[in-house]
Amino acid sequence: MIMAVYILADIHGMYDKFMRMLDKINMTDEDILYVLGDMVDRGPHPIKVVQKIMNMKNVRTLIGNHDSGVIGTLKFFAMNDSYRGDTSTEREFQTLDQQEKMNVIEFLSELPYYYDISVNDQQYILVHGGLGNFSPGKSLDEYTIDEIVWTRPDFSVPYYTDRIVVCGHTPTQLIEENDRPRYIMKKNNYIAIDCGACFRGGRLAAICLDTGEEFYV
Ligand SMILES: [Mn+2]
């Protein structure tokens, strides 16, 4: 079996959908799954999602704005037992033992914010949000984390002519250029894969870059 590359994003605590997606794509040990950030917040089991991903060896993860945003709060909760969490992320985090808490914080703190990969001779840039303050000659290292995790591309204008940008963060239901809401949008050298798993009527989506095959839960 030849290695395949799968991508999904914005699980947002939807652990059950994530498990069903893993069943559906049925990866081999040689396959790689890229998770483009926003594992936490909104859905019921954000920390379970993070811990599952931490324990899968063929997964590469990017940081999203929500993952980045909770690190400081989780550090606070790891040091202060007497406060009650408000969000699903905080509450689930508080059920962990101290070592597990530190492992989660360390994992989130070390996540990269982009990948630059090549599949079938096509180059892909993987980010959570977009490339804020884009300039064609700017190297990916020169973007700030905020420019990559918080921004939304103008999907009517490609960033690159020779590279495809794969992003989450912006549910495809909200993309004006998208003719197929609730489906992955492939247009103008973008692949937008957040189909709003945590929202009513939304779905968790994944794509196999090698075959173009799309998966929905
Ligand atoms: Mn996001």
Side-chain angles (χ1 to χ4, degrees):
M1 181 74 189
I2 297 164
M3 180 201 102
V5 173
Y6 297 89
I7 307 185
L8 56 74
D10 296 83
I11 302 167
H12 274 305
M14 306 301 279
Y15 181 79
D16 294 345
K17 281 188 181 176
F18 181 41
M19 288 306 100
R20 277 155 60 203
M21 180 60 85
L22 291 178
D23 279 347
K24 218 169 203 185
I25 61 181
N26 195 19
M27 295 165 63
T28 70
D29 288 346
E30 285 73 46
D31 296 339
I32 295 176
L33 172 66
Y34 287 92
V35 175
L36 305 192
D38 277 5
M39 294 167 278
V40 303
D41 290 345
R42 297 203 168 115
H45 296 298
I47 297 298
K48 235 172 127 179
V49 169
V50 172
Q51 289 187 305
K52 172 69 186 173
I53 288 171
M54 284 167 62
N55 291 315
M56 290 175 70
K57 65 175 177 5
N58 48 349
V59 175
R60 293 176 193 165
T61 310
L62 289 181
I63 197 151
N65 54 306
H66 283 263
D67 311 308
S68 168
V70 300
I71 293 172
T73 316
L74 296 187
K75 283 181 181 163
F76 174 83
F77 279 108
M79 300 303 156
N80 298 277
D81 261 343
S82 52
Y83 290 85
R84 282 286 138 253
D86 284 331
T87 68
S88 57
T89 308
E90 293 163 7
R91 284 194 303 266
E92 201 171 33
F93 183 77
Q94 290 188 302
T95 67
L96 306 183
D97 68 33
Q98 196 63 17
Q99 186 58 55
E100 290 171 327
K101 287 177 184 171
M102 299 321 286
N103 292 346
V104 166
I105 289 170
E106 190 186 344
F107 173 74
L108 294 177
S109 305
E110 291 176 353
L111 292 177
Y113 54 98
Y114 68 85
Y115 286 107
D116 185 351
I117 66 171
S118 180
V119 176
N120 295 337
D121 293 326
Q122 171 66 55
Q123 202 179 347
Y124 296 89
I125 311 281
L126 317 185
V127 291
H128 176 66
L131 297 172
N133 298 312
F134 176 75
S135 163
K138 194 163 156 182
S139 84
L140 292 170
D141 283 331
E142 293 176 86
Y143 290 90
T144 65
I145 183 162
D146 281 357
E147 284 174 333
I148 286 194
V149 304
W150 277 105
T151 53
R152 302 185 197 281
D154 174 354
F155 289 98
S156 66
V157 183
Y159 284 128
Y160 301 103
T161 53
D162 59 344
R163 280 171 271 186
I164 294 172
V165 173
V166 187
C167 60
H169 186 56
T170 307
T172 64
Q173 290 89 326
L174 305 179
I175 300 176
E176 218 177 300
E177 291 75 15
N178 186 17
D179 313 318
R180 300 190 311 154
R182 299 179 70 240
Y183 287 86
I184 290 168
M185 188 198 77
K186 300 180 205 171
K187 211 175 200 175
N188 296 333
N189 283 350
Y190 292 104
I191 300 179
I193 56 166
D194 176 11
C195 294
C198 61
F199 297 117
R200 188 198 298 257
R203 305 192 288 178
L204 183 62
I207 189 165
C208 176
L209 285 188
D210 305 71
T211 61
E213 192 180 355
E214 301 174 14
F215 303 85
Y216 297 93
V217 171

